[in-house]
Amino acid sequence: MDLAAARWLAPRALRWLGGFARGRVLHAFDRSVNLVDSRGSVLSIVDPEIGPGPFSLVLAQPFDFRGRVAEDSPVEVDAGVLTLGPLAFGWSGAEAWDPVPPWRSVTPERTPGLVEAIEEEMLVSPVKPAIAFEHPPDPADQEALRAYAVSLAGLGPGLTPSGDDVLVGLAHAFFVRFEAEAAAGFAGIIAETAARTTTLSAAWLRAAAVGEAGNLCHLLVAAAAAGDETGLRDAVRRILATGHTSGADALAGFTTGLKVPWPI
């Protein structure tokens, strides 16, 4: 059995592997596989073209899962090797990947340009958010914030329903607008309230609650902070191409969270 090596490993992925007791295949795609363990935690094994995420093991070389993984493929972890049916993955030489981008490097002076670039790209994109939603309340009003999360949790289509994607984007906006401790408090209320959604959505919401995001969000933040409009717009277009409407829904939640005139 050949061993496929990992290039990057997120902290959540390392904890998943280190605390493994029992797991199964949650979803299998051409270039990625999602696994879930007995605690409901998710591990994503992904091709390098997809790139790192909050609970990802990113492979060092391109990898095609087609026809090689099924829902009933056995999952085992032993001696630094994860076996998935006939496949084996090792992570001993993987680099640790920090899933939290420097959100606050997007200063208030940079925020209007970030919102404008996102909205302009969304306007011309063929991919549109799948749902309409109300503006979020002041996050300091915990009762109203919980009610808002309830209204969107699990709403709409997709493996990660559109309402959940909106909430993930909103949680990320908190980390741009507020200091990390306050942002984590607000985003944690959303994640806790919306946890009744799908397993994969719940994993994204838990990650967003502590400021974690996928690699494309890191690229967006870096470009926005540097005033790199070309890089920013490229990152937005790549996010819009994520999933069926997941990227568009998350960006809609993100821009809304950046624009609402809450007390700062």
Side-chain angles (χ1 to χ4, degrees), residues 49-257:
E49 185 177 334
I50 294 177
F55 35 89
S56 292
L57 180 155
V58 185
L59 298 171
Q61 299 295 330
F63 201 92
D64 190 345
F65 290 94
R66 283 179 293 186
R68 307 169 78 179
V69 176
E71 288 189 2
D72 60 352
S73 294
V75 180
E76 299 291 341
V77 177
D78 184 53
V81 175
L82 184 154
T83 56
L84 175 56
L87 307 176
F89 306 94
W91 62 92
S92 62
E95 298 178 41
W97 184 75
D98 184 356
V100 182
W103 296 108
R104 296 287 281 179
S105 65
V106 182
T107 62
E109 293 75 24
R110 294 285 191 194
T111 301
L114 169 60
V115 171
E116 181 180 11
I118 293 173
E119 292 186 334
E120 287 180 357
E121 291 298 330
M122 292 180 72
L123 185 64
V124 300
S125 173
V127 182
K128 304 298 182 185
I131 61 171
F133 56 93
E134 301 292 332
H135 280 188
D138 182 344
D141 184 340
Q142 294 188 12
E143 183 175 346
L145 187 59
R146 287 192 180 93
Y148 186 77
V150 167
S151 74
L152 287 174
L155 182 65
L159 290 177
T160 56
S162 297
D164 301 334
D165 295 326
V166 170
L167 291 173
V168 167
L170 176 61
H172 288 157
F174 291 155
F175 284 89
V176 174
R177 295 192 63 172
F178 303 101
E179 294 294 343
E181 183 176 356
F186 301 147
I189 290 172
I190 287 178
E192 177 186 357
T193 304
R196 62 185 176 86
T197 186
T198 68
T199 299
L200 185 59
S201 270
W204 277 106
L205 286 161
R206 286 193 296 267
V210 291
E212 297 178 359
N215 187 53
L216 294 180
C217 285
H218 288 243
L219 297 177
L220 181 147
V221 168
D228 175 8
E229 185 169 352
T230 299
L232 172 58
R233 289 179 180 270
D234 179 67
V236 173
R237 288 191 290 269
R238 292 174 67 186
I239 293 172
L240 286 168
T242 301
H244 187 59
T245 63
S246 286
D249 294 321
L251 285 173
F254 184 60
T255 55
T256 299

Side-chain angles (χ1 to χ4, degrees), residues 3 15 20 22 33 83 104 233 235:
L3 187 68
R15 291 196 294 271
F20 181 82
R22 187 173 68 255
V33 171
T83 56
R104 296 287 281 179
R233 289 179 180 270

